[in-house]
Amino acid sequence: MPKIRSLVATLVVGAAAALTAPVAAEAADQPVVNWAHSDFGNDYGTLLVSATAADGVSAITAHILTSDARQEVATVDAFALRSGTAADGVWASTPIVLDDLGAYSVDVEVTDTDGTHVRQDGIGELYYAMFTYFDNVSLNRTSTTYDKRTVTMRGTLLGRRPGSGVVEPVAGARVYVLGTLNFVEVTTKPDGTFAGTVEIVYESEDVWADYGLTQPMHTRAQSEPVRVTVSPRPVRVSVNLDKAKLTRGESLTATGQITWKVAGVWTPLAGVEAFVSICSSTDQNSCDYVESVTTDADGRFSYTTTPSGDGYIGVTHVQYTPDGAVDPYVKPGFGQSRLFTVRQPSAFTSFYGGRYDQGRIGVYGNFAFTGGRSPAHFEIKLQYSANGVDGWRTHTTFTDQYSFEVTGVDMPGAVYWRAVYPGDTGFLKTVSEVVAIPAL
């Protein structure tokens, strides 16, 4: 068998010859063989020869020899100009048919139209290899599910012999069927067919077959990739509240259920985590995670909190793979409650009055929103009544004043005073203590 040399080595030898030979040719003013190698783009059994001759090339003869013993196995003298000109061109031989695959050494003789003849031994290499390729490659499915996570690729590995162009199955070859993470090695049958199954682990990934020089003098082959996508099980999350309005400091309980669709039926997800968030709006991006709870046998959960302000309860369910990645086979689910409103407290921190200058009445007070939140604007109504029980009439309205007073009120009879904050959206109504002022 001929000694096999790599294609890279062949190209290096050819390149070196191309750089050094023309210098000698100019000195001798004779034909030069620049390089010789297989026609890698078409047929490995065709020899390409680059030759330069000032008077034009008239004849080319190539001798094909074993690389180790340099025993000649074929001679070819039928060449046609492939590109360039007769003075500087690339010539292609007729297909060369040999008994054995291998890397053969090439000696080349060139004669120009003036009859000058040169021979350059070992100028190139005929990489006499079987061109392999995949045919009829297919997948049994291009979408995987929770229950069916694998795909099977089938196809045939064929080889086209150099020179003759005869196509035949490549038997006993190691073929790899690859996904993004997983792969399987299979061996082709006598008819060149193969089948390999891999598990799909990403939301979307390519699957292809690869034959990588596992047999001597065979070219590498890769099939076209086929995209596979995951069709995840949908998840549904419901969230309900025990109340929609509450006072600051009061607890709120959210309950709900997590289900997923199995064989077309919404089925409870038992013993899974429900990730609870407080959301400032209906946009999921406005949610801040606070705690996780576990569903019961019916997929139900409960969460109690004491919110400080208005918002929504959001619940997310995500399943993870053992390595901590989101499981592509289970679609993340999210549910959100209706809006809840926390009514903020307020208080009159002081309220008093009496008769002062010449018996005239003065009333004084201080007000605060004690929950830490306040509206943009608010009003305080200062009221009086003859009996301190009903019949209240508004004497003065203060706007956005936390401290307020009235003085010089001329009311000689007994009278009762109070201050009232009537409340607003999200803020509780507050009434001060009643101050009794006796008659003069």
Side-chain angles (χ1 to χ4, degrees):
M1 290 293 294
K3 182 178 179 182
I4 299 173
R5 294 187 297 173
S6 69
L7 175 58
V8 174
T10 302
L11 296 177
V12 171
V13 170
L19 291 172
T20 58
V23 175
E26 289 179 4
D29 194 21
Q30 61 183 5
V32 175
V33 180
N34 301 309
W35 49 260
H37 60 67
S38 297
D39 184 358
F40 302 114
N42 294 282
D43 176 17
Y44 286 73
T46 297
L47 182 68
L48 299 181
V49 175
S50 170
T52 304
D55 295 325
V57 173
S58 63
I60 297 176
T61 299
H63 302 274
I64 313 302
L65 307 97
T66 59
S67 297
D68 48 4
R70 288 189 55 79
Q71 178 182 352
E72 187 165 325
V73 295
T75 301
V76 58
D77 56 10
F79 283 84
L81 186 64
R82 170 71 64 83
S83 63
T85 65
D88 185 6
V90 175
W91 303 75
S93 74
T94 56
I96 302 169
V97 178
L98 303 177
D99 292 334
D100 300 316
L101 301 176
Y104 294 90
S105 180
V106 176
D107 299 346
V108 178
E109 298 180 66
V110 174
T111 304
D112 66 13
T113 56
D114 194 39
T116 303
H117 171 269
V118 296
R119 174 170 177 148
Q120 292 183 243
D121 291 346
I123 191 62
E125 183 179 73
L126 180 68
Y127 190 76
Y128 202 71
M130 175 86 78
F131 176 80
T132 61
Y133 61 96
F134 287 103
D135 192 32
N136 294 325
V137 175
S138 64
L139 283 179
N140 63 330
R141 64 175 67 92
T142 56
S143 179
T144 53
T145 64
Y146 188 91
D147 298 313
K148 298 178 179 179
R149 302 189 179 206
T150 63
V151 296
T152 298
M153 174 167 277
R154 291 180 171 82
T156 304
L157 181 63
L158 298 176
R160 186 172 65 242
R161 295 195 66 85
S164 67
V166 173
V167 174
E168 58 189 47
V170 180
R174 295 200 306 272
V175 170
Y176 293 93
V177 176
L178 304 103
T180 301
L181 180 65
N182 297 315
F183 71 91
V184 63
E185 179 185 319
V186 296
T187 302
T188 58
K189 296 179 179 180
D191 61 356
T193 59
F194 67 91
T197 300
V198 293
E199 181 180 354
I200 302 302
V201 296
Y202 292 108
E203 183 178 359
S204 177
E205 59 182 273
D206 287 332
V207 177
W208 72 99
D210 184 279
Y211 171 58
L213 306 179
T214 57
Q215 295 194 43
M217 302 309 298
H218 282 202
T219 65
R220 184 171 187 172
Q222 286 185 320
S223 70
E224 289 295 323
V226 181
R227 178 58 56 91
V228 180
T229 57
V230 170
S231 180
R233 279 187 179 176
V235 171
R236 188 166 62 186
V237 181
S238 63
V239 185
N240 302 302
L241 300 178
D242 63 341
K243 60 178 74 73
K245 293 183 179 181
L246 60 154
T247 302
R248 183 184 175 94
E250 188 179 357
S251 65
L252 174 71
T253 298
T255 58
Q257 186 181 34
I258 301 177
T259 58
W260 63 350
K261 209 168 195 178
V262 181
V265 178
W266 287 104
T267 305
L269 262 171
V272 300
E273 285 189 291
F275 300 100
V276 182
S277 299
I278 302 296
C279 310
S280 60
S281 73
T282 56
D283 183 355
Q284 190 173 350
N285 293 324
S286 73
C287 301
D288 293 319
Y289 168 77
V290 290
E291 190 177 341
S292 68
V293 294
T294 303
T295 60
D296 62 15
D298 294 322
R300 299 187 181 279
F301 61 85
S302 177
Y303 172 73
T304 300
T305 185
T306 304
S308 60
D310 303 350
Y312 305 80
I313 300 294
V315 176
T316 304
H317 173 65
V318 179
Q319 289 197 19
Y320 297 94
T321 61
D323 61 358
V326 175
D327 188 345
Y329 286 97
V330 181
K331 189 173 183 179
F334 175 76
Q336 194 175 57
S337 73
R338 57 180 171 162
L339 174 68
F340 62 81
T341 301
V342 179
R343 294 168 294 190
Q344 300 293 322
S346 59
F348 290 95
T349 56
S350 66
F351 186 72
Y352 58 95
R355 293 188 181 277
Y356 300 100
D357 183 26
Q358 298 180 356
R360 292 184 174 86
I361 297 172
V363 179
Y364 308 87
N366 290 285
F367 175 75
F369 290 98
T370 56
R373 299 186 182 187
S374 61
H377 301 284
F378 64 92
E379 291 184 344
I380 301 295
K381 297 180 182 296
L382 188 61
Q383 298 178 335
Y384 63 92
S385 167
N387 58 18
V389 177
D390 55 18
W392 293 99
R393 300 180 65 181
T394 298
H395 180 276
T396 306
T397 298
F398 301 98
T399 301
D400 299 338
Q401 288 184 236
Y402 289 98
S403 295
F404 55 89
E405 65 177 38
V406 292
T407 58
V409 179
D410 189 5
M411 288 184 178
V415 66
Y416 298 84
W417 290 84
R418 73 177 186 181
V420 176
Y421 167 60
D424 202 344
T425 302
F427 295 87
L428 292 171
K429 177 182 178 179
T430 305
V431 180
S432 72
E433 294 182 352
V434 175
V435 175
I437 299 178
L440 281 174

